[in-house]
Amino acid sequence: MARKAPRHAEAERNDHALLEAAKKVLAVDGAHASVATIAARAGVGIASLYRRYRSKDELFQHLCALSLDQWIQAAEHGLQHDDPWEGLSHYVSACIEFSGGSLGPLAGTIAVTDEMAAKFTRSDELMRDLVARAHAAGVLRPDATAMDISLLIEQLGKSPLIEQLDRQDRTDLIDAARNARKRAIAIALDGLRPGHPQLPGTTPSPALLLERWEHTTKSPERP
């Protein structure tokens, strides 16, 4: 395999650092997160950032596309498991681990690009394949839908305790907090197994997540 040019490799490293930083900053600041704060957390110079991205929106659109790549990869790896439950469990755990849904605060504040839309469609198709396979094998409760799982991932992808300890620089407690989070994920996964009481309410509509991305108003630009 040909080695990547140093500049290209550096750009990829910066992208990864920016994505991880954006997830953390957005968890605290929401849609008002500033590019300067994200860049500082990622250790990337703001000047070099704006030489590559023409605007805050363009940066966030790129980060959303990168995040969708993570969802796609998790689903593809899940489908490689012979056991349908293990495959679904891997997918859910992996998406929670990389904080799937953490870019949700950007919904409605940026336009959805063709690249984002195509990657979302692919991610959604793969996830539905995982769910359908698990249902067919009888290992996923029949009233659990792909939407239920997407919402579960988004909720568990946020970890207020870990975020708080991270802000406080309490590295001595981070491992214990991550262990507690893994236990919570295991409890949630068990709730997806058959044999539990019927889920309350009505089945969530896909529109619940999709329509929030309609770009109607623009948030005030921040540096």
Side-chain angles (χ1 to χ4, degrees):
M1 181 182 295
R3 295 182 62 183
K4 295 177 180 176
R7 184 170 296 180
H8 181 66
E10 181 183 5
E12 283 194 354
R13 288 194 298 271
N14 286 345
D15 276 347
H16 178 75
L18 284 166
L19 178 58
E20 296 310 307
K23 290 175 180 179
K24 292 180 172 64
V25 174
L26 283 164
V28 177
D29 297 341
H32 294 291
S34 74
V35 173
T37 303
I38 293 171
R41 180 149 195 159
V44 176
I46 191 72
S48 62
L49 194 65
Y50 275 120
R51 280 196 295 270
R52 185 174 179 198
Y53 301 103
R54 294 169 295 180
S55 67
K56 176 180 179 178
D57 282 6
E58 186 175 289
L59 169 64
F60 283 161
Q61 287 164 339
H62 180 66
L63 294 180
C64 284
L66 290 179
S67 182
L68 285 164
D69 284 338
Q70 292 181 317
W71 286 80
I72 290 169
Q73 185 179 53
E76 289 175 341
H77 287 175
L79 287 168
Q80 290 172 4
H81 283 263
D82 293 331
D83 184 297
W85 172 255
E86 291 300 322
L88 181 62
S89 178
H90 166 85
Y91 172 75
V92 173
S93 298
C95 290
I96 292 172
E97 186 64 29
F98 64 68
S99 300
S102 61
L103 299 190
L106 296 177
T109 70
I110 58 173
V112 175
T113 65
D114 290 343
E115 181 186 21
M116 288 166 61
K119 288 184 176 182
F120 173 81
T121 298
R122 177 59 177 160
S123 171
D124 187 60
E125 289 172 348
L126 290 169
M127 192 262 280
R128 291 181 183 280
D129 287 345
L130 279 167
V131 171
R133 192 174 70 142
H135 273 147
V139 295
L140 175 65
R141 57 186 301 162
D143 56 347
T145 68
M147 267 297 297
D148 289 313
I149 293 172
S150 293
L151 289 166
L152 180 68
I153 290 169
E154 181 159 334
Q155 292 302 311
L156 290 178
K158 301 172 184 177
S159 181
L161 177 59
I162 293 176
E163 291 159 10
Q164 179 185 18
L165 294 173
D166 188 50
R167 291 194 302 272
Q168 295 174 341
D169 199 26
R170 291 298 306 272
T171 55
D172 56 315
L173 296 176
I174 288 291
D175 285 344
R178 287 176 176 159
N179 175 71
R181 184 190 194 189
K182 288 181 179 179
R183 289 171 62 87
I185 293 170
I187 293 169
L189 283 170
D190 184 67
L192 292 175
R193 291 283 205 171
H196 294 282
Q198 185 77 14
L199 290 170
T202 57
T203 301
S205 165
L208 182 62
L209 292 181
L210 288 175
E211 290 184 3
R212 64 180 177 165
W213 284 93
E214 292 180 1
H215 188 214
T216 54
T217 58
K218 184 175 177 64
S219 297
E221 184 76 12
R222 292 182 61 179

